[in-house]
Amino acid sequence: QMEDEGTGKAALLPYIQQNPNSSKWGLKIYNLVDNDSNFIKKFIRKIGEPPVIFSNSLMNLSVNELTIELINRGYLNAEVSAQVDTANKKASVVYSVVHNEPCIILNYTNEIPQRLLTRQPNRPLTRQNIMNIVKRIFRQKKDIPGDHETFDQRWALIEEGDIFDMNALEAERTRVSAFLRNRGYYTITRDNLHYLADTTLQPNRVDLKLRLLDTLSAVPYTIARVNVYSGYDPLFKEDYRIVDSMDYKGINIHYDPLHFLRPAVIHEKIRLRPGDLFRERRGEAILSHFRALDCVGMADLQYVQGNYPDSTLLDCNVYLTPGNIHSLQAGLEGTNNAGDMGVALDVTYGHLNLFNGSELFNLNLRSAYEFVGGSSGENGINHNYYELNIRPSLTFPKFHLPFIDDYVNERFSSQTQYSLGYAIQKRPTYTRNFFNFNWKIRWTGHAQEITHSLSLLEINYISMPWKSDKFRDYLNSQIDPLTRYSYDDIFTAGVDYSLIYTNAAMGRMWEHLYTFRFNVETSGNALYGLSRATRAGKNEDGQYTLLGNPFAQYVKGDFDLAHTFRLDTKNVLAFHAGIGMAYPYGNSTILPFEKRYYAGGPNSVRGWNTRYLGPGSYNEGQAGDPTTHVGDISFIASAEYRFKLLSWLEPALFVDCGNIWTIKEYPNQSGGYFRWNTFYKELAVGAGFGLRFDLNFLILRLDAGTKIYNPAHSEGNRWVLFKEPVWGNSAGYIAIGYPF
């Protein structure tokens, strides 16, 4: 326990050197057996947790660590003490922390020479600059760069009036040293920067100055050569053998017998040339580019002061180690499609360096067999069926776009992907084919916080080449128009853009983890404009067609935010909210079935089965077909409390809220139309309990949710908890990963 007079209790907890058992359950499981003499006892003790034995030395060490941390945070007069109670053979330790008045920074200045705080210009790779490098090598001629872009103190991480916090001081040293190292000063590191602190002026007040030691030796360095060693493995460096070397556009490339990566690809990823000033950020960008390539196992970069008469010349050496080029994944899984069980086999082959330029080729094959529930009936739609799917794709590690290629490749990790897809669904009553083509580009920054994806052309075509006579009669006479539309041939062609922003990049741990997703897609605009321009004919429904099939025209947008608050090492609060809307227009009066929203399921309102919630107050008793539970507007919000019971077991309590609605009034979805004055009354609410099993390589999730507020009932009867049987109003799920 900690009694903290002031702030920062959560920040000080990591400095406690001895913590109690994470849970009583883990300790009880461990004590179920008295030793680990056999396999069963070893397993029990492994899933349990051994008791933590109190240590007086660790308690005293905790006091010292807390005191040092408080002093580092500017509380120079902080007082830390500990008391221990050992009653009943159980130790209880209470740490008392009193901050007292912090030390405040009165003035902050830097005494770094102005010539070092001036941005140095790049030297472009020209014939004259190459000659200058030669002159410098043989004549030791030194150039003094001119003044450009003076250092701005307003970006300082230390301000007058701040607490004298050592962490802030270290961050400021890092910032200034990075500024200098990105302007040619290779020999300057954070250790060359020192503070002078004067605490004699006033009690708990300090004057602060930042100084650079040995300023006379601080001179800008220039890149003389860029060397790339392809196929180099640091674990077997004595076996590395160069069989081919070349000068490719200013870069010296050395190959082993594998000739790993084409020269043009290496040249694209290295934005550094002889004559450039040393800039640390350029080196970091080079490593980021190469490590983003799937075929590269390891990448390293070293700067070496070559054997030149001029000591301010550097060689930049890049070492590239190939990774595993081939991959094969196979999985057997159970499927649950709207309550119908099945089995699926999924096999994916990958080649990570198809044309020796880190081109990624994937071939995915999937087959599934589904056992559809219900009787076969006269309409003949409830039969078991199978599905076959093949999807090849080819991804290039660059943009296939004119004009912006060099600009983007220098600043981002970029990809271009081409993919094809074909799937066939075979039932006794019909055959359905799915065709897909996608041309997509992706790019992300070096910090990997923002990822962009743009489908420049996405084409989907769904056809039903064969229907049995009974099924045709069923669609034409017995089924509602909405479900009938889901079995029509449809063609879509459009663009799609998505953005993902998260602070979980680079494997960092955050107390507040958030992820924001945005997606917008549109389809049919170009085809509609072309059809109108060419005065193409329309079908009997007033729609333009392509190859005899109407094409869809719509716009769709989605916003999604997930936020996780880490209360401490054991407890987490997670929130999620998502909203989406789609609108058909022009050539369409209704969205394609595959593009419409649905609710219920393991990542939605978990008290409802998948595709059996909504739209609005639509009564599911009117039709048991999940194809009717679709809409054009979606809103989902969830809250989840997770707590560590064991190191591998995390129970969770959750509440979900949401629904879907239609943007137009469809006669076969009464109550589904979105209205501002009633939609809030149609928000379904479910709650439940779940378990998350941490298997190291994945999170296995079991969730059970029940309905609390059911908008499908009439007003006044929608609160169903404890009023209706819980078993009939609940749903259970087995899933992989967290729901959000």
Side-chain angles (χ1 to χ4, degrees):
Q1 302 177 25
M2 180 180 291
E3 297 177 355
D4 187 7
E5 184 181 309
T7 58
K9 177 178 178 180
L12 293 177
L13 286 176
Y15 296 93
I16 304 297
Q17 300 300 306
Q18 190 175 40
N19 292 298
N21 287 96
S22 60
S23 70
K24 294 181 180 180
W25 289 104
L27 182 59
K28 289 181 179 180
I29 293 175
Y30 184 88
N31 289 328
L32 288 175
V33 295
D34 55 358
N35 57 60
D36 57 357
S37 58
N38 56 49
F39 171 78
I40 296 177
K41 291 183 177 181
K42 285 181 180 180
F43 176 75
I44 292 175
R45 289 211 157 180
K46 186 174 182 179
I47 65 175
E49 184 179 358
V52 177
I53 307 301
F54 168 74
S55 170
N56 192 68
S57 61
L58 289 178
M59 181 186 70
N60 293 330
L61 181 60
S62 299
V63 172
N64 292 334
E65 291 289 336
L66 288 169
T67 303
I68 293 172
E69 177 60 19
L70 288 168
I71 292 174
N72 287 337
R73 289 175 177 264
Y75 297 92
L76 306 184
N77 302 311
E79 301 174 19
V80 182
S81 60
Q83 292 182 344
V84 58
D85 182 1
T86 57
N88 300 321
K89 295 184 179 181
K90 294 182 179 180
S92 177
V93 183
V94 177
Y95 296 92
S96 178
V97 177
V98 181
H99 289 71
N100 291 321
E101 184 181 359
C103 185
I104 303 299
I105 298 173
L106 279 180
N107 300 292
Y108 170 59
T109 58
N110 72 71
E111 296 183 350
I112 302 174
Q114 189 62 38
R115 68 178 181 86
L116 301 182
L117 298 179
T118 300
R119 185 172 183 179
Q120 307 297 334
N122 269 330
R123 294 178 175 85
L125 185 62
T126 64
R127 178 180 177 85
Q128 183 61 42
N129 285 338
I130 294 175
M131 294 303 297
N132 287 339
I133 293 176
V134 175
K135 291 178 181 179
R136 291 182 64 185
I137 292 175
F138 293 102
R139 299 185 184 179
Q140 300 187 29
K141 178 181 178 180
K142 296 183 181 288
D143 299 321
I144 304 298
D147 292 342
H148 295 273
E149 297 187 25
T150 304
F151 178 82
D152 193 345
Q153 184 68 6
R154 291 177 296 178
W155 291 101
L157 301 177
I158 301 173
E159 296 181 0
E160 297 173 358
D162 287 350
I163 295 178
F164 184 55
D165 189 337
M166 295 297 179
N167 296 319
L169 268 60
E170 286 299 304
E172 174 69 358
R173 283 208 308 168
T174 301
R175 182 188 75 89
V176 176
S177 64
F179 183 93
L180 296 173
R181 288 180 64 81
N182 283 307
R183 279 144 186 85
Y185 297 100
Y186 170 72
T187 59
I188 293 179
T189 65
R190 187 178 61 178
D191 295 333
N192 297 111
L193 296 165
H194 288 250
Y195 290 101
L196 293 179
D198 187 353
T199 59
T200 62
L201 299 177
Q202 300 179 39
N204 293 317
R205 298 295 183 268
V206 61
D207 277 356
L208 200 62
K209 295 180 180 179
L210 180 63
R211 301 182 63 185
L212 177 65
L213 301 182
D214 195 15
T215 59
L216 295 178
S217 63
V219 293
Y221 279 67
T222 305
I223 302 300
R225 293 186 178 91
V226 180
N227 302 309
V228 178
Y229 297 91
S230 176
Y232 179 86
D233 190 340
L235 299 178
F236 304 96
K237 57 184 179 181
E238 64 278 359
D239 298 330
Y240 183 68
R241 181 168 55 94
I242 298 175
V243 298
D244 187 17
S245 298
M246 67 178 68
D247 182 342
Y248 187 86
K249 299 182 180 179
I251 298 178
N252 301 308
I253 304 177
H254 307 284
Y255 283 111
D256 72 340
L258 291 177
H259 279 77
F260 176 61
L261 289 181
R262 300 192 309 271
V265 176
I266 294 175
H267 179 269
E268 288 173 355
K269 302 302 177 183
I270 299 180
R271 299 293 170 174
L272 189 66
R273 301 292 181 265
D276 288 351
L277 282 173
F278 163 77
R279 300 186 190 276
E280 189 172 51
R281 191 175 294 114
R282 285 289 180 90
E284 294 171 351
I286 291 171
L287 290 179
S288 177
H289 286 317
F290 279 115
R291 289 170 180 170
L293 300 181
D294 296 303
C295 67
V296 175
M298 288 186 291
D300 192 19
L301 183 145
Q302 297 176 4
Y303 294 99
V304 179
Q305 291 178 280
N307 187 23
Y308 304 119
D310 186 347
S311 61
T312 64
L313 292 173
L314 294 174
D315 286 347
C316 175
N317 297 331
V318 180
Y319 301 91
L320 303 177
T321 305
N324 293 324
I325 302 302
H326 302 275
S327 67
L328 183 64
Q329 296 178 341
L332 183 65
E333 62 185 53
T335 62
N336 187 336
N337 183 16
D340 296 326
M341 305 303 295
V343 62
L345 175 64
D346 196 295
V347 179
T348 301
Y349 166 75
H351 192 298
L352 307 183
N353 196 29
L354 187 63
F355 304 123
N356 201 26
S358 193
E359 298 86 0
L360 172 61
F361 173 74
N362 267 330
L363 179 62
N364 176 258
L365 301 173
R366 178 182 174 86
S367 61
Y369 190 87
E370 186 172 304
F371 306 91
V372 180
S375 61
S376 58
E378 185 178 355
N379 54 40
I381 65 170
N382 291 320
H383 282 289
N384 301 341
Y385 80 99
Y386 67 85
E387 178 180 339
L388 300 175
N389 193 319
I390 180 171
R391 183 178 180 86
S393 66
L394 184 59
T395 304
F396 296 86
K398 58 179 295 186
F399 272 175
H400 286 175
L401 291 173
F403 308 119
I404 66 171
D405 182 62
D406 289 341
Y407 175 86
V408 173
N409 274 314
E410 183 174 354
R411 292 162 177 80
F412 302 96
S413 295
S414 54
Q415 290 182 334
T416 300
Q417 182 185 76
Y418 304 93
S419 64
L420 291 171
Y422 170 71
I424 179 173
Q425 289 181 348
K426 179 65 176 178
R427 287 179 181 263
T429 53
Y430 68 80
T431 301
R432 189 184 237 178
N433 293 325
F434 298 82
F435 300 91
N436 169 266
F437 170 77
N438 197 353
W439 173 23
K440 178 184 292 186
I441 59 175
R442 298 191 190 96
W443 67 99
T444 182
H446 300 313
Q448 299 181 3
E449 292 181 342
I450 303 179
T451 301
H452 306 265
S453 177
L454 175 62
S455 290
L456 298 167
L457 179 60
E458 183 175 6
I459 299 174
N460 293 278
Y461 175 52
I462 303 174
S463 70
M464 296 191 66
W466 177 80
K467 301 173 186 175
S468 69
D469 293 338
K470 286 186 177 181
F471 189 70
R472 289 180 185 275
D473 294 339
Y474 172 71
L475 292 178
N476 293 330
S477 60
Q478 301 183 34
I479 202 168
D480 59 272
L482 185 65
T483 304
R484 187 186 311 123
Y485 176 74
S486 67
Y487 291 100
D488 285 345
D489 294 354
I490 194 69
F491 181 90
T492 63
V495 296
D496 183 308
Y497 169 76
S498 65
L499 178 148
I500 300 176
Y501 176 66
T502 179
N503 66 344
M506 308 300 289
R508 292 174 288 187
M509 296 298 296
W510 298 80
E511 291 185 10
H512 302 298
L513 175 67
Y514 54 85
T515 301
F516 170 76
R517 293 178 173 87
F518 166 73
N519 185 84
V520 61
E521 63 176 292
T522 182
S523 176
N525 295 327
L527 291 175
Y528 188 83
L530 182 63
S531 298
R532 290 196 62 179
T534 58
R535 299 181 182 274
K538 297 182 179 181
N539 62 12
E540 62 274 11
D541 295 322
Q543 295 175 297
Y544 292 115
T545 61
L546 180 67
L547 302 178
N549 295 286
F551 56 86
Q553 190 175 7
Y554 63 89
V555 61
K556 183 178 181 181
D558 296 276
F559 299 87
D560 187 279
L561 176 65
H563 201 159
T564 301
F565 298 86
R566 190 172 298 278
L567 304 178
D568 52 41
T569 57
K570 301 178 185 177
N571 298 278
V572 170
L573 277 177
F575 300 93
H576 167 258
I579 186 171
M581 184 172 68
Y583 183 75
Y585 60 93
N587 210 50
S588 298
T589 58
I590 188 172
L591 286 170
F593 178 77
E594 287 74 16
K595 297 297 181 179
R596 303 193 77 188
Y597 295 103
Y598 63 89
N603 299 311
S604 182
V605 185
R606 282 166 277 187
W608 277 257
N609 289 322
T610 305
R611 293 185 180 271
Y612 276 92
L613 170 60
S617 61
Y618 175 68
N619 189 343
E620 60 182 291
Q622 296 176 5
D625 192 340
T627 58
T628 62
H629 295 275
V630 289
D632 314 310
I633 301 174
S634 172
F635 173 76
I636 300 294
S638 300
E640 189 166 283
Y641 169 60
R642 307 166 189 158
F643 55 98
K644 283 284 187 181
L645 188 61
L646 299 169
S647 60
W648 52 271
L649 179 61
E650 188 178 38
L653 301 172
F654 59 82
V655 176
D656 302 319
C657 172
N659 206 335
I660 56 174
W661 296 267
T662 62
I663 209 165
K664 299 179 181 180
E665 291 198 65
Y666 298 111
N668 298 96
Q669 289 180 301
S670 58
Y673 180 61
F674 180 88
R675 291 180 173 87
W676 286 104
N677 60 342
T678 60
F679 84 93
Y680 60 91
K681 301 178 183 178
E682 299 166 348
L683 292 171
V685 179
F689 174 78
L691 296 174
R692 287 88 176 93
F693 299 90
D694 187 353
L695 306 180
N696 293 326
F697 57 93
L698 60 83
I699 301 293
L700 178 64
R701 172 163 58 97
L702 304 180
D703 280 336
T706 187
K707 300 180 180 69
I708 295 179
Y709 182 85
N710 190 347
H713 292 357
S714 60
E715 289 194 55
N717 298 311
R718 292 177 175 176
W719 294 99
V720 298
L721 186 63
F722 305 127
K723 294 182 179 180
E724 297 181 358
V726 175
W727 182 257
N729 272 336
S730 301
Y733 302 98
I734 301 176
I736 302 297
Y738 290 112
F740 47 85

